[in-house]
Amino acid sequence: MTGRRKSPLEIDVTEAHMCSVNLRLHILSQVPFFAGLSQADLDRVNSLFNEQGYAPHETIYFSGDAVKHMFVVADGRVRLMRHSPSGKDVLLDILTPGEFFGSFSAQGDEVYHETAQAHTQTCVLGISVNDFRAILEKNPQVVLRVLDITSARLQAANVRVHQLSALPVEGRIAYLLLVLCAKFGKPGNDGVLIQTPLARDDVAAMTGTTSETASRVMSQFQKDGLIRTGRQWVAVIDLFALEEIAKAEIS
Amino acid sequence: MTGRRKSPLEIDVTEAHMCSVNLRLHILSQVPFFAGLSQADLDRVNSLFNEQGYAPHETIYFSGDAVKHMFVVADGRVRLMRHSPSGKDVLLDILTPGEFFGSFSAQGDEVYHETAQAHTQTCVLGISVNDFRAILEKNPQVVLRVLDITSARLQAANVRVHQLSALPVEGRIAYLLLVLCAKFGKPGNDGVLIQTPLARDDVAAMTGTTSETASRVMSQFQKDGLIRTGRQWVAVIDLFALEEIAKAEIS
DNA sequence: CGACGAATTGAACCTATTCAAAGGGTGTGG
DNA sequence: CCACACCCTTTGAATAGGTTCAATTCGTCG
């Protein structure tokens, strides 16, 4: 019935998207900062989470909402974004199973600073900030891991600041494709497919440009044989060439 | 002898810039994540730090250097920056006494991802990453505080990404001045003086533009009576107007 | 005072945005 | 199974915002 589809993306068409208990435990054990816990601790932690399914474009929380939960992606893709009154939204990140979002500062923020939205069919595990803080206070190694992850994200954010400040659009898009490739890449027939829906709008919102410009740049990349792309999908063919473009700053 | 100076900035002209033992202890006790320690612990921590003086523009470490120390600013101002091959540097932050820099992920990065440079006469306290990690492992509350600070910085970095993506230069500079005002502002005769040397180049490097454009924008701000500015200094007069300009697009 | 570095200002140029219209893939409903 | 409608994508042309290069002015310190 979908034999006509040209898109190489594997899509998940489950209905009410709930995850099995097995999947839950598997996911939690894969979350980097719970990796060190014993099976017993893990079971206890698991019982503190409750799950929730979301359809594409459904909002998990809005920027400005009071902080109540910390979340882990169990299945699907979650978008983290910031809004502007002008309507020009910024896409901070696309999260994949095992990644967490929401509040994770120990102090506890008052409100969320970004909006979380289901990007695909999604199952999300949530834990109240109080419960999460209790886990942090009881398990010092967990805090250290959370700190590591937060540091890495700060790192990545600074790279992005650098690029937005110093690189032209071409370079920023080239770099973005490399990052997404490292995160979502599945080697396929020709090139590495970025296994997530990815519209020109998304690329634009992640690189601080417009969908038209993103389209122009990516069309050029395709003409030059660096990528293959279609509606909502991209596959990277020539990683090395993209690296060169991302690194090349107008001397 | 400096009666001819027009600059309202208070500058520090000490020679070899070393800080007294009293100052050291005072600074360390003010560092947010050592705030909870007992006097005895504080003394022990203090003995693990060694101090170092720097003249303006001296480099504390280079981006790419192997990570060996974590630092705390004791006196003066420190610049954190990233380089580009093109020479277009990005200024990530200007640090003030009590703030820390260098590596602080528990895992330990291999190399520094940014360059630290003295912005003024500066005294810096350094601790080896091993010693610092030992403190983290012994004092869980300290880790929680480090996590909070890191989260706050991630927060700020994301705001910057948002602005670079969605705001025109005018708005970004207006916002920067507000941030610097909150951090360095000293109320004075007319307006709030930003108590740190601040060249047009610096403003440009923090907002992703050129010094010429920064100059044009700030000249306009001055004409409109929003700020007073001279060589290497800025005082903010109309906070509210700047907020309006900065908010023009931000939620 | 004199010299150097910082700031200003002008004009040409260029990148990326904006507005607009046409072309294509996807999946739904007939 | 086809056809249509919807949304994503492409492409074009005009415009604006910022950069670049260059020349001048100004402030600060020796």
Side-chain angles (χ1 to χ4, degrees), chain B residues 172-239:
Chain B
R172 304 203 300 266
I173 292 183
Y175 182 79
L176 173 69
L177 293 178
L178 290 173
V179 169
L180 293 178
C181 210
K183 185 165 182 178
F184 297 107
K186 310 279 180 203
N189 297 342
D190 33 17
V192 183
L193 174 67
I194 293 172
Q195 178 54 46
T196 191
L198 191 69
R200 301 293 177 273
D201 282 348
D202 297 326
V203 172
M206 283 198 272
T207 53
T209 184
T210 60
S211 57
E212 292 94 333
T213 297
S215 176
R216 281 183 246 270
V217 169
M218 289 171 70
S219 295
Q220 190 57 49
F221 283 173
Q222 178 153 242
K223 270 177 203 150
D224 296 345
L226 308 187
I227 63 175
R228 291 204 327 122
T229 180
R231 186 194 176 96
Q232 304 245 50
W233 65 270
V234 184
V236 173
I237 296 172
D238 193 341
L239 282 156

Side-chain angles (χ1 to χ4, degrees), chain A:
Chain A
M1 64 175 170
T2 51
R4 294 198 311 287
R5 283 185 79 236
K6 283 188 191 170
S7 170
L9 284 188
E10 295 164 19
I11 52 169
D12 205 341
V13 283
T14 324
E15 290 250 326
H17 208 275
M18 292 291 163
C19 24
S20 67
V21 177
N22 280 343
L23 179 58
R24 283 181 58 158
L25 277 171
H26 178 68
I27 290 297
L28 285 179
S29 70
Q30 277 206 334
V31 176
F33 48 87
F34 292 145
L37 297 185
S38 68
Q39 190 60 41
D41 281 341
L42 211 53
D43 282 339
R44 207 170 312 126
V45 165
N46 179 46
S47 69
L48 294 174
F49 278 92
N50 45 35
E51 75 184 80
Q52 183 84 32
Y54 294 94
H57 302 292
E58 253 191 287
T59 298
I60 302 168
Y61 57 75
F62 276 109
S63 169
D65 284 356
V67 167
K68 287 180 183 158
H69 295 278
M70 205 279 296
F71 300 94
V72 175
V73 182
D75 194 23
R77 307 274 183 256
V78 171
R79 303 155 55 88
L80 292 187
M81 47 204 297
R82 278 171 182 261
H83 307 292
S84 307
S86 64
K88 179 157 188 168
D89 287 348
V90 175
L91 185 48
L92 291 176
D93 207 355
I94 297 177
L95 304 180
T96 197
E99 292 193 282
F100 68 95
F101 62 104
S103 173
F104 44 91
S105 92
Q107 190 97 301
D109 301 312
E110 297 296 310
V111 297
Y112 296 114
H113 296 288
E114 68 295 311
T115 292
Q117 186 186 55
H119 185 56
T120 63
Q121 285 283 14
T122 296
C123 177
V124 161
L125 305 180
I127 186 174
S128 79
V129 285
N130 285 336
D131 287 345
F132 184 59
R133 208 170 304 161
I135 294 176
L136 288 185
E137 279 163 11
K138 275 187 195 165
N139 304 77
Q141 339 95 350
V142 176
V143 188
L144 285 173
R145 286 175 181 276
V146 174
L147 175 58
D148 275 338
I149 294 168
T150 306
S151 296
R153 289 189 183 179
L154 173 56
Q155 195 46 43
N158 280 335
V159 168
R160 205 156 156 189
V161 167
H162 187 183
Q163 295 212 343
L164 285 165
S165 301
L167 272 189
V169 177
E170 249 198 349
R172 304 203 301 265
I173 292 183
Y175 182 80
L176 172 70
L177 294 177
L178 290 173
V179 169
L180 293 178
C181 210
K183 186 166 183 177
F184 297 106
K186 309 280 180 203
N189 298 340
D190 33 17
V192 183
L193 175 67
I194 293 172
Q195 180 53 48
T196 192
L198 192 68
R200 302 293 177 272
D201 282 347
D202 297 326
V203 172
M206 283 198 273
T207 54
T209 184
T210 60
S211 58
E212 293 94 331
T213 298
S215 176
R216 280 183 247 270
V217 169
M218 289 170 71
S219 295
Q220 190 57 49
F221 284 174
Q222 177 154 244
K223 270 178 202 147
D224 297 345
L226 308 186
I227 63 174
R228 291 203 329 121
T229 180
R231 186 195 176 98
Q232 304 245 51
W233 64 270
V234 184
V236 173
I237 296 172
D238 193 340
L239 282 156
F240 183 72
L242 288 179
E243 273 166 20
E244 289 303 299
I245 294 172
K247 257 185 281 185
E249 317 211 357
I250 349 96
S251 74

Side-chain angles (χ1 to χ4, degrees), chain B residues 148-185:
Chain B
D148 274 336
I149 294 169
T150 307
S151 296
R153 288 189 183 179
L154 173 57
Q155 196 45 44
N158 280 336
V159 169
R160 205 156 157 188
V161 167
H162 187 183
Q163 296 212 342
L164 285 165
S165 301
L167 272 190
V169 177
E170 248 196 351
R172 304 203 300 266
I173 292 183
Y175 182 79
L176 173 69
L177 293 178
L178 290 173
V179 169
L180 293 178
C181 210
K183 185 165 182 178
F184 297 107

